[in-house]
Amino acid sequence: MYDCPHCSTKSIGTWRKVSATPFSPAICGNCGKASFVSGWSNFATVLAAEVFLWGSIVFAIFLGSFYGLLALPVGMAVISILLAQLFPLIPANDFVLETRRKIVRRTWGFAVLAALALLIYGLSTHSAG
Ligand SMILES: [Zn+2]
């Protein structure tokens, strides 16, 4: 567990820490405030996941055993512990949270518009045909 940057309580798990982004921040169980890590940590996590996914498949073929696939969870566990040590949690301020809210709102607005457009398109082709 890692310290919350707001209240210094050990409330953030390793995986939650390395996967915390401004769009999906880690929420402290003690104070309820949001925090995230540098984008480089997220990038490295995605890259490591990709490498270990293919690496474990190659390893399993090389060993001729499905046990080779265990390299994926083991590798990811090691990488996430390393990354969690490397990158500190950044407390999410109001600017970050407000930006996130705007993006979420815009995404939903777009989804609703797309659904409406599909519905109108579907109704118009239905009535014409
Ligand atoms: Zn906290």
Side-chain angles (χ1 to χ4, degrees), residues 1-37 89-94 96-98 100-101 104:
M1 296 297 252
Y2 291 86
D3 288 354
C4 163
H6 296 281
C7 67
S8 299
T9 307
K10 291 201 180 302
S11 61
I12 318 280
T14 303
W15 180 248
R16 197 67 200 94
K17 181 181 171 180
V18 293
S19 62
T21 65
F23 308 110
S24 169
I27 305 296
C28 171
N30 183 50
C31 68
K33 286 180 180 167
S35 54
F36 59 94
V37 286
L89 274 168
I90 304 162
N93 56 25
D94 289 342
V96 170
L97 292 175
E98 186 48 43
R100 176 174 173 259
R101 265 194 291 271
V104 168

Side-chain angles (χ1 to χ4, degrees), residues 32-112:
K33 286 180 180 167
S35 54
F36 59 94
V37 286
S38 153
W40 288 108
S41 173
N42 305 129
F43 176 72
T45 308
V46 170
L47 195 71
E50 196 83 351
V51 167
F52 279 109
L53 175 67
W54 293 107
S56 67
I57 291 169
V58 171
F59 192 48
I61 293 168
F62 178 73
L63 286 180
S65 159
F66 284 112
Y67 286 114
L69 294 174
L70 287 174
L72 175 64
V74 171
M76 284 312 293
V78 171
I79 285 292
S80 41
I81 289 165
L82 281 177
L83 287 174
Q85 300 290 333
L86 220 61
F87 293 96
L89 274 168
I90 304 162
N93 56 25
D94 289 342
F95 173 74
V96 170
L97 292 175
E98 186 48 43
T99 307
R100 176 174 173 259
R101 265 194 291 271
K102 272 183 196 155
I103 290 169
V104 168
R105 213 178 294 143
R106 220 166 278 168
T107 309
W108 271 108
F110 182 75
V112 168

